[in-house]
């Protein structure tokens, strides 16, 4: 599968929130955290970070990132069907301060999980799971905004089947400002560059019997001799450095098989702007 490649696309500048003490406390209150921060780190790689730990709740908020967790479960209640769980999750995202309201759920990235021996493992279906993970994309110029890996999403939310939200991780930006447009590489140019081993491998994962990574929370190095690409699309890559622009990239997704009955998935990012036809943005 290949995307339609336009001749030109703009780049964007990501504008951060001015994260004040009051704004951070208001955000914490939306998660049920009413006490002052347990700790404030004035100088992290993502600016000032506020940390809360209250009972079974924890929250970390920095300049562009948010992470919430709930460690204990409420009393068992009747399980909800998947469509109602999705409504609860989406409503939670819309009502949380600072989070982008226009996020769109990516149905293809929905995962089913169950806790086993203190860690989450994949489940084969909704019926066999205890937790559902919903992934939300934020689009810019009708293209998804991706981070270091496209397998996560702009927001990731885990919810128990009784409707209890136990985890949320999200990026946090005020807005994205459109700048100049630049000529893109053609699809043929992009394919030729990846065939010549250009681009960056951003994700490799050996898949389990349910089509999920064997390691849900980290990716181990994998030796790959050949890849069959199944999908080429365009996305915007969120810059790690605030002085860099958010630029269009090609996302190559493929499969590999290094051992019998052991399948893997790989993702490669390739810059989409044709620097031979443009000044560097």
């Amino acid at each position: 599968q290949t995307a339609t490649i336009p001749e030109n696309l703009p780049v964007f500048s990501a504008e951060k929130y001015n994260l004040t003490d009051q704004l951070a406390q208001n955000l914490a209150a939306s998660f049920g955290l009413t006490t002052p921060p347990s700790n404030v780190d004035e100088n992290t790689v993502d600016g000032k970070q506020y940390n809360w730990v209250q009972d079974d709740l924890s929250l970390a908020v920095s300049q562009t990132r948010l992470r919430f967790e709930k460690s204990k479960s409420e009393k068992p209640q009747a399980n909800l069907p998947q469509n109602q769980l999705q409504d609860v999750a989406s409503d939670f995202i819309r009502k949380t301060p600072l989070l982008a309201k226009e996020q769109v759920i990516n149905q293809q990235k929905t995962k089913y999980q169950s806790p086993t021996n203190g860690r989450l493992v994949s489940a084969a279906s909704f019926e066999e799971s205890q937790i559902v993970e919903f992934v939300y994309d934020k689009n810019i110029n009708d293209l998804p905004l991706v981070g270091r890996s496209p397998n996560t999403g702009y927001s990731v939310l885990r919810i128990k089947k009784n409707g209890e939200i136990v985890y949320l991780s999200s990026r946090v930006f005020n807005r994205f400002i459109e700048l100049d447009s630049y000529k893109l590489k053609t699809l043929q140019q992009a394919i030729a560059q990846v065939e010549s081993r250009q681009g960056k491998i951003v994700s490799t994962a050996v898949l389990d019997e349910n089509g999920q990574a064997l390691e849900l929370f980290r990716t181990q190095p994998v030796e790959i001799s050949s890849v069959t690409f199944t999908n080429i699309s365009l996305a915007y890559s969120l810059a790690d450095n605030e002085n860099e622009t958010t630029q269009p990239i090609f996302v190559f997704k493929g499969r590999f098989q290094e051992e019998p009955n052991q399948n893997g998935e790989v993702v490669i990012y390739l810059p989409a702007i044709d620097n031979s036809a443009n000044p560097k943005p």
Side-chain angles (χ1 to χ4, degrees), residues 23-269:
L23 192 59
Q25 190 66 59
N26 292 343
L27 176 63
S30 69
F31 290 93
L33 294 155
T34 56
T35 61
S38 308
N39 176 57
V40 178
D41 192 334
E42 297 284 347
N43 189 26
T44 73
V45 293
D46 194 35
K48 190 174 183 179
Q49 179 171 303
Y50 299 81
N51 302 280
W52 281 265
V53 177
Q54 179 182 315
D55 300 325
D56 62 336
L57 308 177
S58 64
L59 174 68
V61 182
S62 54
Q63 194 71 50
T64 67
R65 297 177 185 272
L66 175 153
R67 182 184 176 97
F68 166 78
E69 289 188 83
K70 184 174 184 179
S71 59
K72 295 180 182 179
S73 180
E74 297 175 354
K75 293 181 179 179
Q77 301 174 13
N79 289 339
L80 301 176
Q82 183 169 333
N83 63 335
Q84 290 188 27
L85 288 178
Q86 181 177 315
D87 290 343
V88 172
S90 298
D91 190 55
F92 187 83
I93 292 229
R94 283 192 297 268
K95 290 181 177 179
T96 300
L98 306 189
L99 297 192
K101 309 307 177 189
E102 69 279 10
Q103 296 183 62
V104 179
I105 195 165
N106 188 325
Q107 301 285 4
Q108 295 180 335
K109 293 182 180 179
T110 299
K111 295 183 174 68
Y112 307 117
Q113 303 167 353
S114 291
T116 301
N117 297 325
R119 66 188 186 98
L120 285 180
V121 298
S122 71
S125 65
F126 174 76
E127 289 71 23
E128 296 181 23
S129 68
Q130 296 182 40
I131 294 173
V132 181
E133 179 178 284
F134 293 116
V135 177
Y136 292 82
D137 291 335
K138 175 178 172 54
N139 292 340
I140 295 184
N141 202 26
D142 296 326
L143 294 175
L145 182 66
V146 297
R148 294 183 179 181
S149 169
N151 296 325
T152 53
Y154 198 77
S155 293
V156 178
L157 184 148
R158 297 191 190 112
I159 184 170
K160 290 193 172 183
K161 292 170 73 172
N162 63 5
E164 180 185 359
I165 293 166
V166 294
Y167 176 87
L168 172 64
S169 174
S170 182
R171 302 306 301 266
V172 181
F173 287 94
N174 186 26
R175 61 174 178 159
F176 290 85
I177 304 169
E178 183 173 334
L179 305 176
D180 295 334
S181 290
Y182 296 87
K183 181 177 176 58
L184 301 187
K185 300 169 185 173
T186 65
L187 183 61
Q188 290 71 26
Q189 286 175 310
I191 291 173
Q193 289 184 352
V194 170
E195 286 180 336
S196 64
R197 296 181 180 271
Q198 297 182 55
K200 180 180 180 181
I201 297 176
V202 295
S203 174
T204 57
V206 176
L207 304 180
D208 64 16
E209 67 276 10
N210 298 316
Q212 297 189 46
L214 286 172
E215 294 287 343
L216 290 177
F217 305 109
R218 60 184 182 272
T219 301
Q220 301 295 338
V222 179
E223 291 288 339
I224 303 173
S225 59
S226 65
V227 175
T228 300
F229 289 106
T230 56
N231 184 285
I232 307 171
S233 62
L234 278 173
Y236 272 96
S237 177
L238 187 60
D240 289 330
N241 189 323
E242 62 182 16
N243 296 320
E244 297 177 352
T245 56
T246 295
Q247 300 186 22
I249 60 170
F250 288 97
V251 180
F252 284 72
K253 294 184 180 181
R255 294 294 179 101
F256 62 88
Q257 186 175 41
E258 292 303 300
E259 298 178 12
N261 302 318
Q262 182 172 290
N263 297 313
E265 187 177 68
V266 64
V267 179
I268 293 176
Y269 285 173

